[in-house]
């Protein structure tokens, strides 16, 4: 069983892509296509910036959670995984 919330969410998003559920927001994003998903990630990033510059801690957390979710949807659309990103981070932060 996966116990990391980002990995669990990644699995749920992948399952929604393979097994659409009527009324699912995630499926609506996939139906809208890559361009709209990428646009949504951009919108969420701007909302994070706005929250960082003048909103409450709770609003900052909410906006960051939205950005993480939409980024995972985009990653699924691009056939990328958290493992791909983790590996790149490991490569970048190895002692030289």
């Amino acid at each position: 069983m996966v116990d990391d919330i980002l990995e669990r969410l990644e699995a749920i998003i992948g399952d929604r892509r393979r097994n659409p559920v009527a009324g699912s927001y995630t499926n609506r994003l996939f139906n809208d296509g890559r361009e709209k998903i990428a646009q949504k990630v951009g919108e969420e990033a701007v909302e994070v910036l706005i929250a960082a510059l003048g909103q409450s801690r709770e609003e900052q957390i909410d906006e960051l959670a939205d950005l993480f979710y939409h980024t995972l949807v985009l990653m699924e659309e691009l056939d990328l995984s958290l493992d791909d990103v983790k590996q790149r981070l490991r490569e970048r932060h190895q002692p030289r």
Side-chain angles (χ1 to χ4, degrees), residues 17-62:
R17 187 176 186 199
R18 291 182 299 281
N19 304 295
V21 173
S24 163
Y25 176 68
T26 302
N27 286 131
R28 192 173 91 213
L29 289 170
F30 285 126
N31 290 337
D32 287 345
R34 183 176 293 188
E35 186 176 307
K36 291 287 188 179
I37 295 169
Q39 179 182 355
K40 190 65 180 170
V41 170
E43 290 171 7
E44 295 300 339
V46 169
E47 290 175 10
V48 167
L49 294 172
I50 292 167
L53 295 174
Q55 294 181 345
S56 71
R57 184 175 195 281
E58 286 301 310
E59 290 166 317
Q60 293 164 354
I61 292 169
D62 286 342

Side-chain angles (χ1 to χ4, degrees), residues 9 13 25-26 29 64-74:
L9 188 53
I13 290 166
Y25 176 68
T26 302
L29 289 170
L64 283 162
D66 289 347
L67 178 59
F68 275 52
Y69 164 77
H70 287 92
T71 298
L72 287 172
V73 172
L74 181 59

